[in-house]
Amino acid sequence: MDRVEEMLGEVRRTFKGGRTRGVEWRKAQLQALLNLLAENEDKIIEALRQDLGKHPVEAYRDEVGVVKKSATNAFRCVEKWMAPQKGRIPLVFFPARGAVVSEPLGVVLIFASWNFPISLALDPVIGAISAGNTVVLKPSDLAPKCSSFLANTIPLYLDPEAIKVVEGGKDISEQLLQLKWDKIFFTGSPQVARLIMSAAAKHLTPVTLELGGKCPTILDTLSNSSDLQVAVKRIVGGKWGPCNGQACIGIDYVLVETQFAPVLIELLKKFIKRFYGENLKTLENLARIVNKHHFERVHNLLKDPNVAATIVYGGSVDEENMVIEPTILLNPPLDAEIMTEEIFGPLLPIITLNTIEESIQFINSRPKPLAIYAFTKNDSLKEKILQETSSGSLTFNDAIIQFVADTLPFGGVGQSGFGRYHGKFSFDTFSHEKAVLHRSFLIELEPRYPPWNDFKMDFVKLAYDFDYVGLVLLLLGLRGLFRRNRRQ
């Protein structure tokens, strides 16, 4: 505990010293982070292979490339983000001017997740640095090689008095949560998020929670064969591509009309074999399950006899290497754990409906998901999904790609989390938007004549209703009133 408190004291003193507030420091740290990625790409890819068995292409796409893009964008835009934003002031306060000034929150604690142990650690750090904060990063101990890489490498590139990495398991996390922070950013499960919120409440610490949930995919009956093949390829990529289904924004299940299910299943089989291999022994391009605990958790979902009876493809497991074959299930029981809990693995349930419009009611009967994916060319159905469902994000005719769009906020709603980040939204998440108003000493009106009180009330009412164009007319009217009163 003494070591943790000492570390917090150092980064707090650094923040109070003020050097993190300047644009020079922020850009220097962002450039250093880009240098770290460029000079250690091979080490990162190897660490991801050892922790999760990620293919080099997947490792670069989902970890190195994502962070590089985010840091480059922040480096180019941070001065613009820091600039005060002009605020329009009500006429009644004329002459005055207002602005919204973004100031850093202070010392930020970031908990990273194991499924994307590099990008989900460094992407929030980019936002915190851009906003001028000091940072304590806690990588996941379930990805030990990546955690060790971050702990040993970050001090060589970033300001070691402002950005710290602390390794450890549950005991270290508990020690960190006993201390007072200016912001806590957590990526992980709802169960742990409840503990985070409980600890943060003791110090009234603001939190951002990036959680997950059962992200549904709606597949409409696409009549064009080419469109259908593209849709199914994107579903296969969105389910098994990111960490073999171990992704909070990965596809959890598919909703489709009953008559369309056989076509979907055959196309899923076709593209699974093309992308990942024919059977358990020849699988490639797939990450493995992170550890024995999670392997058993996912495997247990299939051990339910009522669930196992619905398997239409796959289902094989390799316990020694912690590999589960991509598996398709048709209409597993809706009250089974596979349909009530986030799967976070390579199992894909297909739920059939009489009409695709029923998908809206199905989704709304469950907790709000982090993402909804809908494949359709029907504009009316798109509008109904948009207006009648709630989710962290909504993507039409693709999956996952919204995560890498810096111009769109990423975050959940309800049980899938709250708060947002990416691009400017990361900067805002780690900033306090302070209202600043400058008032002049000019035009201080004093009541000198009996009629003034009634007129003053009329003036105030008009001032709230008029824009600045009407100011001239009001001032001219006041001048005329004063002149008449003096003549009298």
Side-chain angles (χ1 to χ4, degrees):
M1 188 65 176
D2 291 341
R3 181 174 67 87
V4 174
E5 290 181 335
E6 181 181 348
M7 176 191 59
L8 174 59
E10 183 175 359
V11 292
R12 194 170 294 283
R13 287 191 296 272
T14 300
F15 178 75
K16 289 181 178 179
R19 75 168 178 263
T20 68
R21 292 176 176 267
V23 67
E24 296 83 6
W25 182 87
R26 305 184 196 197
K27 297 190 75 170
Q29 302 311 302
L30 293 169
Q31 182 60 59
L33 187 53
L34 287 169
N35 295 341
L36 183 155
L37 295 171
E39 296 170 12
N40 295 276
E41 182 178 315
D42 292 341
K43 293 180 180 179
I44 294 172
I45 290 174
E46 176 60 20
L48 289 165
R49 186 194 66 79
Q50 293 186 45
D51 281 338
L52 291 154
K54 290 192 177 186
H55 188 279
V57 172
E58 179 184 351
Y60 186 88
R61 180 195 66 197
D62 296 347
E63 307 270 7
V64 178
V66 166
V67 178
K68 186 179 294 186
K69 176 184 62 64
S70 180
T72 300
N73 179 59
F75 183 86
R76 292 171 178 170
C77 299
V78 65
E79 290 182 73
K80 178 181 177 182
W81 296 344
M82 292 173 62
Q85 304 299 307
K86 184 177 180 180
R88 185 172 178 178
I89 302 302
L91 176 64
V92 70
F93 301 131
F94 180 86
R97 57 187 172 87
V100 177
V101 176
S102 295
E103 64 179 17
L105 293 172
V107 182
V108 172
L109 173 62
I110 296 173
F111 287 100
S113 182
W114 56 262
N115 53 340
F116 298 91
I118 299 298
S119 60
L120 293 185
L122 296 182
D123 209 354
V125 168
I126 289 169
I129 289 173
S130 300
N133 300 280
T134 55
V135 181
V136 173
L137 171 64
K138 168 61 177 67
S140 173
D141 59 304
L142 298 185
K145 297 298 182 182
C146 291
S147 177
S148 177
F149 169 81
L150 292 170
N152 294 326
T153 309
I154 283 180
L156 303 178
Y157 288 84
L158 304 183
D159 185 344
E161 295 180 350
I163 301 160
K164 301 282 189 181
V165 181
V166 56
E167 291 189 280
K170 182 180 177 181
D171 56 335
I172 290 296
S173 297
E174 291 175 349
Q175 291 179 28
L176 290 169
L177 289 173
Q178 292 176 22
L179 304 175
K180 186 181 186 308
W181 306 89
D182 299 304
K183 174 81 175 187
I184 297 177
F185 187 103
F186 171 77
T187 303
S189 69
Q191 293 81 6
V192 179
R194 293 185 180 94
L195 301 177
I196 300 286
M197 285 196 68
S198 178
K202 297 176 183 178
H203 302 290
L204 297 179
T205 300
V207 297
T208 293
L209 303 178
E210 297 297 340
L211 309 178
K214 298 183 71 63
C215 299
T217 290
I218 301 169
L219 180 60
D220 198 4
T221 51
L222 299 169
S223 57
N224 185 297
S225 175
S226 176
D227 291 342
L228 178 57
Q229 297 229 15
V230 170
V232 177
K233 280 196 289 187
R234 291 175 179 177
I235 290 173
V236 171
K239 174 60 184 181
W240 290 282
C243 205
N244 197 8
Q246 300 170 106
C248 58
I249 56 170
I251 293 171
D252 194 276
Y253 63 93
V254 177
L255 299 170
V256 66
E257 290 185 359
T258 302
Q259 61 182 357
F260 200 49
V263 176
L264 170 61
I265 291 170
E266 290 307 311
L267 285 174
L268 286 171
K269 292 178 182 179
K270 170 185 174 181
F271 290 115
I272 288 172
K273 293 174 182 178
R274 181 188 297 181
F275 292 171
Y276 309 117
E278 293 276 348
N279 56 58
L280 185 65
K281 298 300 182 183
T282 60
L283 290 178
E284 56 183 357
N285 306 327
L286 279 172
R288 66 169 182 269
I289 307 300
V290 64
N291 58 28
K292 284 289 186 182
H293 169 74
H294 283 278
F295 176 86
E296 289 297 331
R297 180 189 60 79
V298 178
H299 191 197
N300 285 338
L301 297 176
L302 294 178
K303 290 181 179 179
D304 182 337
N306 294 324
V307 173
T310 67
I311 295 175
V312 294
Y313 180 82
S316 300
V317 301
D318 179 351
E319 294 190 26
E320 182 179 353
N321 296 307
M322 294 184 292
V323 175
I324 298 177
E325 184 181 10
T327 302
I328 305 171
L329 307 97
L330 181 61
N331 288 320
L334 297 182
D335 60 350
E337 189 175 356
I338 196 171
M339 287 306 298
T340 58
E341 300 293 331
E342 185 178 9
I343 295 172
F344 226 67
L347 317 180
L348 179 64
I350 297 173
I351 306 299
T352 59
L353 309 168
N354 293 323
T355 66
I356 200 64
E357 285 77 14
E358 293 177 10
S359 60
I360 295 174
Q361 181 180 355
F362 189 95
I363 292 170
N364 288 340
S365 67
R366 285 155 174 75
K368 296 177 181 180
L370 182 60
I372 295 175
Y373 306 110
F375 292 83
T376 180
K377 298 176 76 174
N378 185 331
D379 290 337
S380 176
L381 178 60
K382 284 184 179 181
E383 189 63 21
K384 285 176 68 68
I385 295 170
L386 177 62
Q387 297 297 333
E388 299 179 20
T389 66
S390 178
S391 57
S393 63
L394 172 60
T395 299
F396 290 108
N397 299 326
D398 211 334
I400 306 296
I401 61 170
Q402 80 280 6
F403 181 84
V404 296
D406 287 329
T407 55
L408 297 176
F410 177 79
V413 59
Q415 192 168 303
S416 60
F418 52 80
R420 56 186 187 170
Y421 73 122
H422 287 180
K424 173 64 160 54
F425 303 100
S426 289
F427 177 87
D428 294 339
T429 287
F430 291 103
S431 299
H432 165 60
E433 294 183 330
K434 180 165 62 178
V436 180
L437 191 147
H438 300 268
R439 186 81 193 277
S440 171
F441 288 108
L442 299 176
I443 313 181
E444 184 70 12
L445 303 176
E446 296 287 345
R448 297 178 60 187
Y449 302 97
W452 168 252
N453 288 332
D454 292 337
F455 184 81
K456 182 170 65 175
M457 179 59 71
D458 293 337
F459 168 77
V460 171
K461 290 178 179 179
L462 285 171
Y464 274 113
D465 293 336
F466 272 65
D467 58 16
Y468 285 116
V469 175
L471 176 65
V472 175
L473 297 176
L474 286 171
L475 292 178
L476 288 174
L478 285 173
R479 186 176 66 175
L481 175 66
F482 290 145
R483 287 179 175 175
R484 285 196 299 272
N485 285 333
R486 289 196 183 97
R487 293 193 192 103
Q488 294 173 359

